[in-house]
Amino acid sequence: MAVNDSVNILNSAYLAVEYIDSFLPDNPLQQPFKNAWNYMLDNYTKFQIATWGSLIVHEVSYFLLCVPGFIFQFIPYMQKYKIQQDKPETWEKQWKCFKTLLFNHFFIQLPLICGTYYFTEYFNIPYGWEEMPRWYVLVAQCFGCAVIEDAWHYFLHRLLHHKRIYKYIHKVHHEFVSPFGMQAEYAHPLETLILGTGFFIGIVVFCNHVVLLWAWVICRLMETIDVHSGYDVPLNPLHLVPFYAGARFHDFHHMNFIGNYASTFTWWDRIFGTDSQFIAYQEKEKKKQCITKK
């Protein structure tokens, strides 16, 4: 009975969103996107799309999303939004980070990306325009992927902080006490594999079109680069996501090497109390601000 009720609720929600969508104006970008998608299908093989297309989506998205945070360091006005203002970015750190990223992207992640085509073939994942899910289904699927990845990340990330293994793997990611956006994927190769596994679980569960692979890549990069940006910028649209952790939440983890283990949401840290030090820190900061205003 409970399962049937849940299915009925989901079906009702789907119909409600579909009804609202029917009143929305046509997306002016839909036709150009359709033309570009069909051009891609007509001129490239599935292997090329799944492999090189996925690599391009990842690389272009990653470094484009890093651009705002990179530019902020040169804008004096933005420094008031920097969380650790006493630890500015340096060219030395950024160059070291960039070199490690290139190694991880092309020698660790690219071999994994090469398996994308075989994954889509084994599970008969479609590539065609007509089979592409509607935008609201894609949004819901990406959210589902984020929930799954967040759970995986919390428990495995917390395990990597265990004193017996921390110095061998996760310590690499914590070389930078004050994080910056490009550092999001700066990690030991084993960490890239261990924590990166959480990214693929959602794909296995929800994927019904190759476009979800790319949409989820962009969403995940958007989130992880934002929380590593080092800047708590107001009017950040990601703060509209329920229970979103944000840059200040994760920045505290880099400052203290403990607590706030989740990647995207705050509920796991709240359930297990691993955000207690962060909450106490926030209270202290609020008291300081009140004293300063007086």
Side-chain angles (χ1 to χ4, degrees), residues 36-50 52-53 56 127 214:
W37 190 271
N38 286 328
Y39 176 86
M40 178 183 70
L41 293 177
D42 292 338
N43 290 275
Y44 300 95
T45 65
K46 285 185 177 181
F47 179 81
Q48 291 172 325
I49 293 170
W52 304 117
I56 291 170
Y127 288 64
W214 296 352

Side-chain angles (χ1 to χ4, degrees), residues 139-168:
V139 170
Q141 289 174 325
C142 286
F143 185 79
C145 287
V147 170
I148 292 172
E149 190 281 333
D150 184 69
W152 177 273
H153 190 99
Y154 176 85
F155 293 104
L156 273 294
H157 181 197
R158 189 172 177 180
L159 178 64
L160 289 176
H161 271 271
H162 191 280
K163 60 183 180 180
R164 291 187 177 180
I165 59 176
Y166 171 78
K167 64 180 179 180
Y168 299 110

Side-chain angles (χ1 to χ4, degrees), residues 145-215:
C145 287
V147 170
I148 292 172
E149 190 281 333
D150 184 69
W152 177 273
H153 190 99
Y154 176 85
F155 293 104
L156 273 294
H157 181 197
R158 189 172 177 180
L159 178 64
L160 289 176
H161 271 271
H162 191 280
K163 60 183 180 180
R164 291 187 177 180
I165 59 176
Y166 171 78
K167 64 180 179 180
Y168 299 110
I169 301 175
H170 192 52
K171 186 178 179 180
V172 173
H173 184 68
H174 277 282
E175 284 183 24
F176 305 117
V177 178
S178 178
F180 47 91
M182 191 168 57
Q183 190 232 340
E185 291 187 344
Y186 179 87
H188 189 285
L190 277 178
E191 179 174 339
T192 300
L193 294 173
I194 293 169
L195 296 185
T197 300
F199 172 89
F200 295 101
I201 297 174
I203 294 296
V204 173
V205 174
F206 293 108
C207 194
N208 59 352
H209 195 281
V210 72
V211 75
L212 176 63
L213 291 166
W214 296 352

Side-chain angles (χ1 to χ4, degrees), residues 58-67 70 73 89-109 172-173 175-176 180-187 225:
H58 180 271
E59 295 304 302
V60 171
S61 299
Y62 191 91
F63 289 106
L64 279 181
L65 289 168
C66 287
V67 167
F70 179 78
Q73 64 183 309
E89 297 91 340
T90 66
W91 285 108
E92 181 183 1
K93 290 180 179 179
Q94 291 176 99
W95 177 240
K96 181 181 180 181
C97 178
F98 180 70
K99 289 187 293 183
T100 301
L101 280 178
L102 291 182
F103 175 84
N104 284 348
H105 286 182
F106 290 97
F107 291 95
I108 306 297
Q109 296 182 13
V172 173
H173 184 68
E175 284 183 24
F176 305 117
F180 47 91
M182 191 168 57
Q183 190 232 340
E185 291 187 344
Y186 179 87
I225 290 170

Side-chain angles (χ1 to χ4, degrees), residues 72-84:
F72 288 167
Q73 64 183 309
F74 305 111
I75 304 176
Y77 176 80
M78 296 304 298
Q79 296 313 301
K80 65 180 180 179
Y81 300 121
K82 183 168 174 57
I83 300 168
Q84 299 187 53

